[in-house]
Amino acid sequence: MAKLKLSSLFSSSSSSSAPASTAEGETTKDIKKSSRRSFSALSASLLGSKDAEATNGTSAAASFKSATPSVAPGPAAAAPATTSEMIALAQKITKETEKLEAYMKEHDLPMPSFDADAPADFPKLPDEIAQSRKAIISATKELGLLAHGPRESVRWGIWEFLDTLALAAINHYRIAKLVPLDGTPISLASLQALTPLDPINLARLVRLAITNKIFYEPTPGHIAHTAASKVLAEDTDLQAWVGFNGEDILPASAHVLQALQAHPEATSLTRTGFQFAFNTVDKEPMFVTFGKDPNRAKRMGKAMVSLTGGEGYEPSYFLDVEKGGYDFSEIDARGGTLVDVGGSHGFMCVALAEKYRNMRFVVQDLQRTVDSAPKPISADPQVAERITLLAHDFFTEQVTKDADVYFFRWIMHNYSTPYALQILRNLIPALKPGARIVINDHCLYEGSGQEDLWDEKVMRRMDVVMLSLLNAQERTESEFRELFAKATGEGQQQQEVKGEFVFKGVTRPKGCRMSIVEAVWQLKEEKEEQRQPAAVTEVKGEEGETTPATVAAAPTADTKEDEPKTEEKAE
Ligand SMILES: C[S@@+](CC[C@H](N)C(=O)[O-])C[C@H]1O[C@@H](n2cnc3c(N)ncnc32)[C@H](O)[C@@H]1O
């Protein structure tokens, strides 16, 4: 693959990384036409179309949306004219809280509490009650904003980073672990003696954390655990999550403006807020920096474990077909193969192999990740013998040929368009007709306000984390669609465009924040035959008109602009 000068990479921003907005109208039309399981159908399901719900697998989001109408922005939702927006929200909070509490009582479950002995998590709730809980979270946030008023909510909203700072410092100095777990308070003086912090700094950080119910102060100068500080003391993955966020992402995000001012196109892996924060601009991507520092790499790994175990992200969503997970039974029946590209230690393949007893799996990751994977990969020999771990760099040509599925979980969102395209293009020589490319990532709505507010906040924040660390992005359906189209689109070599990625659409398991994006590799002739068996002349087009085939075959001047520079690759 031809190398690209950095200057040309950066001059390609509009063609390589721009979202689909330029072709929005047309794209949306196309999606409606061809994607049975697409988010486009969601709008229909939101309006009550049962058909759309049944086919697109997004009924969770749809039914959730109808259960929790957002009242902002705009006038007071559906509330009667006499009911203010604040009262409507307060009533909603009361109603949904009563539902949640009734369920907890009925099932003899402990009530949520700040007490140190309270459970750290809600139990798995049935869908309806889970929706009530989400509605409470969203409505309290909205009510809080209204009660603050616009000026004050902006004035003090910008200070949220200071809460992050306090939590990061508490985590860094392991303060939660120094407070007795049995509930006995410890004096600030005794606590201070156990840390390198001076009394003033310790007290100010802890007292700011207390405003978020992390610790409490039963008597002045004495600190004790709440449920939140206790879970921080006990959960090492959560500690890693707070450490990664507080000590890597916070400094990186604080330098994003600097990075954007210097490099507004924001596609390079070596010119992100992270590099500006840690003095590695134009030197190395974040993953390389972490690779040189085992403690930092380990912290990030554990942070990812914490995220993956978090609500809305559990791998079980991908597996549970009933709830909209991916169904591999047809591939399983013929003993097909799935390649988990960037699959880490293969935990997804282990879960899949436990469910599908005939399929084979190849977990690909970088050499050191493969080397550190548990051996055997599963205690069940029938599972372990069907999983192969293979060192492979996804920025090089795919080595596992003719697999049935190439699976990417939490991979594409780590890369801006030039890199994501290269990852897809590297698959092409290995693909047999019908091979499926399955991406498991967030899929953002085109506009805002269509998600539950809590979900939307998490997903939008994740998108900005991707910007801060990697100049990468979460994508909308049309951006995924465009990515697949571009991978075999203009400027690709003739041999690479004998086939194309046919975009199948996006589904979202019920209750999950992650979506399943799918495309199938198809030979061009095969596709044309299926589409227009008797219309060979039609696909040639009018004189002077460019057909899809000629567009794909003809390299253009800006062909290589969306390729990343070799030395900038992630690893
Ligand atoms: C965010 S993690 C996702 C891991 C896993 N797919 C999951 O769902 O948790 C990204 C993974 O990509 C791997 N990775 C990064 N660069 C890679 C490369 N160039 N080739 C192969 N794997 C890579 C990392 O080692 C890591 O395991």
Side-chain angles (χ1 to χ4, degrees), residues 398-519:
Q398 178 54 246
V399 286
T400 307
K401 312 280 182 198
D402 299 329
D404 298 273
V405 185
Y406 294 86
F407 177 57
F408 296 86
R409 185 170 187 273
W410 286 134
I411 300 296
M412 290 303 174
H413 84 147
N414 285 340
Y415 297 100
S416 62
T417 299
Y419 299 92
L421 283 174
Q422 188 174 343
I423 293 171
L424 285 181
R425 287 170 181 160
N426 283 336
L427 291 179
I428 293 174
L431 297 177
K432 65 180 180 186
R436 304 179 197 180
I437 291 76
V438 177
I439 295 173
N440 196 196
D441 256 334
H442 286 141
C443 181
L444 303 175
Y445 282 105
E446 299 289 343
S448 48
Q450 297 177 71
E451 287 279 356
D452 152 68
L453 190 57
W454 181 22
D455 288 339
E456 176 125 20
K457 186 78 135 178
V458 171
M459 291 162 75
R460 300 280 168 197
R461 281 177 166 171
M462 184 76 86
D463 189 33
V464 176
V465 167
M466 291 302 124
L467 167 69
S468 308
L469 300 179
L470 300 158
N471 272 335
Q473 63 175 115
E474 303 298 336
R475 292 182 168 82
T476 62
E477 175 171 332
S478 59
E479 285 166 341
F480 276 118
R481 187 184 183 84
E482 190 184 25
L483 195 66
F484 279 112
K486 281 185 110 175
T488 49
E490 77 273 12
Q492 289 307 290
Q493 300 300 310
Q494 183 65 48
Q495 73 270 19
E496 289 178 328
V497 293
K498 284 183 182 150
E500 62 188 329
F501 295 104
V502 179
F503 189 69
K504 291 301 210 188
V506 181
T507 61
R508 177 140 159 217
K510 210 170 182 179
C512 187
R513 292 205 185 100
M514 296 175 82
S515 291
I516 302 168
V517 182
E518 186 177 5

Side-chain angles (χ1 to χ4, degrees), residues 14 68 74 104 106 110 149 169 179 197 212 231 275 284 289 295 311 318 374 447 510 561 566:
S14 59
T68 58
M104 305 289 280
E106 192 187 326
V179 173
L197 287 168
N212 285 319
V231 72
Q275 277 83 32
E284 61 193 26
T289 307
N295 288 334
E311 289 179 41
F318 185 76
K510 210 170 182 179
E561 283 186 352
T566 311

Side-chain angles (χ1 to χ4, degrees), residues 287 304 308 340-344 347-348 364-366 369 392-395 409-411 414-415 570-571:
F287 287 121
M304 290 304 110
T308 300
D340 188 354
V341 188
S344 190
F347 67 96
M348 282 301 284
Q364 297 180 342
D365 210 293
L366 296 165
T369 308
H392 171 67
D393 176 352
F394 49 57
F395 284 112
R409 185 170 187 273
W410 286 134
I411 300 296
N414 285 340
Y415 297 100
E571 290 281 356

Side-chain angles (χ1 to χ4, degrees), residues 78-290:
T82 49
T83 308
S84 74
E85 201 162 350
M86 288 203 350
I87 290 292
L89 282 164
Q91 286 171 345
K92 184 185 180 80
I93 293 165
T94 305
K95 188 175 126 216
E96 302 297 344
T97 307
E98 281 170 357
K99 266 206 252 175
L100 176 62
E101 184 162 307
Y103 175 86
M104 305 289 280
K105 276 191 180 144
E106 192 187 326
H107 293 83
D108 210 15
L109 295 166
M111 287 297 161
S113 157
F114 297 119
D115 284 356
D117 292 337
D121 300 286
F122 272 84
K124 191 89 190 148
L125 299 169
D127 289 345
E128 196 200 337
I129 304 301
Q131 285 168 13
S132 291
R133 181 175 161 235
K134 279 186 157 187
I136 297 165
I137 295 170
S138 300
T140 46
K141 171 78 184 169
E142 290 181 346
L143 184 57
L145 289 171
L146 285 177
H148 274 86
R151 195 184 308 278
E152 292 299 288
S153 59
V154 172
R155 193 193 309 283
W156 304 117
I158 191 78
W159 269 13
E160 278 193 25
F161 70 93
L162 294 168
D163 295 26
T164 310
L165 171 65
L167 184 53
I170 282 164
N171 187 62
H172 182 89
Y173 291 107
R174 302 276 178 259
I175 291 167
K177 293 180 86 162
L178 302 175
V179 173
L181 285 172
D182 64 5
T184 316
I186 181 170
S187 71
L188 274 170
S190 309
L191 196 53
Q192 187 261 325
L194 301 171
T195 79
L197 287 168
D198 70 29
I200 292 179
N201 288 330
L202 173 69
R204 61 166 62 147
L205 293 167
V206 168
R207 285 178 171 142
L208 178 53
I210 286 175
T211 65
N212 285 319
K213 303 291 183 193
I214 299 168
F215 303 114
Y216 84 116
E217 196 167 357
T219 53
H222 291 81
I223 304 302
H225 272 304
T226 57
S229 59
K230 194 171 171 197
V231 72
L232 184 62
E234 292 178 329
D235 181 342
T236 56
D237 292 340
L238 188 64
Q239 290 159 16
W241 171 256
V242 174
F244 174 50
N245 276 277
E247 298 182 46
D248 289 314
I249 300 179
L250 179 64
S253 59
H255 286 79
V256 165
L257 277 182
Q258 200 183 341
L260 285 177
Q261 280 161 13
H263 306 287
E265 66 290 330
T267 54
S268 168
L269 278 172
T270 58
R271 294 175 168 185
T272 72
F274 183 89
Q275 277 83 32
F276 278 86
F278 296 106
N279 295 320
T280 52
V281 177
D282 286 338
K283 288 189 189 141
E284 61 193 26
M286 179 193 76
F287 287 121
V288 174
T289 307
F290 283 4

